[in-house]
Amino acid sequence: MSQISAPDALSTAIMAIGSERFGDALHRWLDATCSFDNFAIIAFFKDRAPQVLMTHARDSRVFERIDSHYVKGAYLLDPFFGLHQSRAADGLYRLTDVAPDQFQRNEYFKSYYANTTLTDELAYFACLTPISSITVCIGRDATTASRFSSRDYSAAKHIAPVVSALVRMNWPDIKPPIEGEPEDTVEQLRRRMSAEQDISLSPRQAQVALLILQGHSSISIGLTLGISPQTVKVLRKQLYRKCQISSQGELYYLIAPYLSESRKLPGSST
């Protein structure tokens, strides 16, 4: 990418609003302002799969499985998707600040996230409508094998209001590309597990299963669902017994295939 001054790049991004050039222009401006290895723009929707609007990375591994795995279900376990579910305020978020307390110990991290080679990630989040939001992600990966420094973070955070304004102006009313009747994640998981595995989960057990896969501890699950950690432990034991498993890894590989059409996680405000 050729060198361009940040003011010139911002001017180009503003002029590109509403055109197909906007994503590239936004990328060029951020590249002139911050130091990162990869870039992605993802739209999230209520009860629908996300839409990947743009990706750019020097290491092909970063987004290698974004269409085959992330969009088809892995996004449900992404902490940045949690920003959409909770209708978070516009701004810049660091993955380590919003991830569940045991995120790096869960199977999503081990089986999907670690393979992207990402070492650090920041997301500009803009809540556009009651059913849609945009995240503009910048990350560090194996290209530099580094993390964002305090200075990097400050520089990125300083321009967050401008990123939000640009995103809002370019995608004021973005809608999901696929129409149709949505289905609640918990109910769909219960239905498919019953039909295909002959495993009958209660709604609470299915909720706990999904939160475990996100990387929540028993204490965190209890806070999310408004129940005691002891109750969570009981539900977890019941869940494992019904599924005839004994570890979180086994739970992940049992349930992950059934997330491909899921849309709504427990603990959301919708």
Side-chain angles (χ1 to χ4, degrees):
M1 184 174 291
S2 60
Q3 291 295 321
I4 183 173
S5 71
D8 285 343
L10 176 57
S11 174
T12 301
I14 293 172
M15 294 297 292
I17 288 173
S19 74
E20 294 182 354
R21 306 187 310 276
F22 177 74
D24 286 324
L26 179 62
H27 179 208
R28 290 174 67 86
W29 171 55
L30 287 175
D31 188 60
T33 307
C34 311
S35 176
F36 53 88
D37 299 331
N38 57 77
F39 172 88
I41 306 175
I42 300 175
F44 291 118
F45 306 100
K46 177 184 177 183
D47 302 343
R48 294 290 192 279
Q51 182 180 9
V52 179
L53 302 174
M54 180 180 176
T55 61
H56 182 276
R58 285 172 281 178
D59 190 321
S60 62
R61 292 174 293 177
V62 177
F63 300 117
E64 185 176 37
R65 299 196 296 169
I66 195 166
D67 292 322
S68 62
H69 289 71
Y70 184 84
V71 170
K72 292 186 177 180
Y75 75 92
L76 291 164
L77 309 179
D78 182 359
F80 286 148
F81 177 63
L83 298 175
H84 169 78
Q85 288 295 99
S86 64
R87 316 308 295 158
D90 286 15
L92 181 72
Y93 295 85
R94 194 170 197 158
L95 181 70
T96 52
D97 292 335
V98 299
D101 52 355
Q102 295 185 354
F103 176 65
Q104 293 192 6
R105 295 171 56 186
N106 74 2
E107 288 301 320
Y108 165 78
F109 182 88
K110 297 175 185 177
S111 302
Y112 176 81
Y113 195 85
N115 290 328
T116 67
T117 81
L118 283 161
T119 55
D120 203 1
E121 206 171 359
L122 303 176
Y124 294 99
F125 178 77
C127 187
L128 304 180
T129 73
I131 65 169
S132 65
S133 62
I134 295 276
T135 58
V136 178
C137 299
I138 57 176
R140 295 280 178 85
D141 55 51
T143 304
T144 59
S146 63
R147 291 178 57 80
F148 291 107
S149 67
S150 297
R151 179 175 293 183
D152 294 330
Y153 179 79
S154 295
K157 189 175 181 62
H158 182 70
I159 62 172
V162 183
V163 176
S164 178
L166 291 172
V167 166
R168 286 180 172 279
M169 291 179 69
N170 191 70
W171 290 289
D173 56 357
I174 190 169
K175 294 179 176 62
I178 300 175
E179 297 299 329
E181 187 65 25
E183 185 173 4
D184 178 89
T185 300
V186 170
E187 289 307 311
Q188 177 170 283
L189 176 61
R190 293 180 65 221
R191 176 179 57 79
R192 296 184 68 184
M193 290 289 287
S194 177
E196 300 177 36
Q197 294 286 345
D198 197 25
I199 297 174
S200 180
L201 299 179
S202 71
R204 250 326 182 223
Q205 288 165 351
Q207 288 179 316
V208 168
L210 290 170
L211 289 168
I212 289 172
L213 297 188
Q214 284 181 283
H216 290 271
S217 66
S218 292
I219 293 175
S220 181
I221 292 173
L223 291 172
T224 301
L225 298 181
I227 58 180
S228 71
Q230 188 59 41
T231 300
V232 174
K233 291 178 181 178
V234 171
L235 288 167
R236 188 170 188 153
K237 287 181 180 178
Q238 293 172 344
L239 171 67
Y240 280 25
R241 184 168 61 249
K242 280 188 177 181
C243 295
Q244 297 183 357
I245 58 175
S246 58
S247 70
Q248 184 189 114
E250 290 178 289
L251 180 68
Y252 177 83
Y253 288 107
L254 176 66
I255 290 181
Y258 301 109
L259 299 181
S260 61
E261 297 177 3
S262 301
R263 298 292 176 262
K264 182 178 175 185
L265 284 178
S268 70
S269 59
T270 54

